[in-house]
Amino acid sequence: MGKLNVTILRYLTGEDFRVLTAIEMGMKNHELVPASLAAQIANLRYGGVQKLLKELCRHRLLSYERGKNYDGYRLTNTGYDYLALKVLARRGTVTSFGNQIGVGKESNIYIVANDEGESICLKLHRLGRTCFRNIKSKRDYHQHRKSASWLYLSRIAATREYAYMKALYDRGFPVPKPIDFNRHCVVMELVEGGPLCGVYKVGNVGLLYDELMNLIVKLGNHGVIHSDFNEFNIMITNSGKPILIDFPQMISTEHVEAAAYFERDVKCVRDFFKRRFGYESELYPTFHDISREDYIDVETKASGITKQIKDFLKEMDMVEVEDEETEDECSENANEEDRSTDENEINVQLQVENSVRSEFMCTSKETLVNAKVNEKKD
Ligand code: ADP
Ligand code: MG
């Protein structure tokens, strides 16, 4: 499953990619992109574009569908993969493909190699593909956004993942080295080892337990909570060292539900150690043990990556301004660019993210769509 036939990449011409990109852009506000619109966006002749579109459908990079009012094209998962891979290949970050090593509900993980032949890890995010089935009728006017939502959500997930991984790596946290990202793809160091869920014997159980608990607290001291800290997202290297992965759902310690998420992370580790190793300790951290010394959530904003997300949202016209209060705070925020250390900005940022979450409430990556926040909003 999920096989990527990368040889196609070599055969696709510049014009092919231009047409693919035109469909991607058209999908921002059209569920199906008619050939005429694609031609217009790509700035190519209609006749030529039709031929290219047909060919792209044959390679399953696009699909042609009949809509209620008109027929048109949409990007497939594979088509989106190729757009991202083309960029990563051009930069030399990903030049050849190996095996798929992981399949999550929301991602596919591959071993790939860079132009120096080193093995690295490629994560393709796949969010929100089926989530609109139970959407509320009051959101019907967002219908045209359905088609773009999976592109957009997967892209947000990858951007967040890269931003957090970089912030953590720069501070010496045990995480894979982030290498590059584009659209829904993140390229990172390949961890030589396996997830903790596959580990049945540990040299020193108490030591590993302490390391993991200290890691949770250290994250908290830097202003963040992993929120999915469990045996599937902790890799154990061949030399027994834990490496933390999987970051799109990370939240700030300023989040309204921060304490609950923190304590759930702690509980996951305790439960696992009890179940797997029969190990129980009276010592475990609570949210009050955090002493903030740093604000990673702020820094990821300052680095411009969050600005990129915001610009993207604006571009997609996806941020719903729900009431005047939010609108005021957003515009105020826009006027004062360098308030990035102000806690208000954290709140504004969370509001923006939360309004996005409620817009896409049925996505499964838990804290990208924070169920509790949504309940309150609705
Ligand atoms: P998901 O968001 O789908 O849970 P993860 O980031 O947790 O994706 O990755 C899924 C699996 O892929 C992991 O359990 C692990 O086995 C493998 N994996 C992920 N990142 C790496 C990496 N950098 N090196 C090696 N294996 C990885
Ligand atoms: Mg995971």
Side-chain angles (χ1 to χ4, degrees), residues 220-281:
N221 291 344
H222 286 75
V224 286
I225 298 166
H226 184 277
S227 315
D228 203 11
F229 199 99
N230 59 43
E231 64 272 24
F232 304 98
N233 292 328
I234 297 159
M235 304 283 291
I236 303 293
T237 64
N238 296 336
S239 52
K241 191 172 166 264
I243 306 277
L244 188 59
I245 59 166
D246 202 358
F247 311 103
Q249 73 293 327
M250 276 183 61
I251 57 164
S252 162
T253 47
E254 301 293 301
H255 189 283
V256 275
E257 306 281 346
Y261 281 105
F262 181 92
E263 266 137 39
R264 195 182 62 180
D265 279 358
V266 170
K267 188 174 182 300
C268 276
V269 175
R270 296 184 73 207
D271 289 351
F272 177 76
F273 273 70
K274 187 176 169 193
R275 199 168 66 238
R276 177 65 55 90
F277 307 117
Y279 179 87
E280 281 180 272
S281 170

Side-chain angles (χ1 to χ4, degrees), residues 8 188 355:
I8 298 181
M188 64 186 120
S355 70

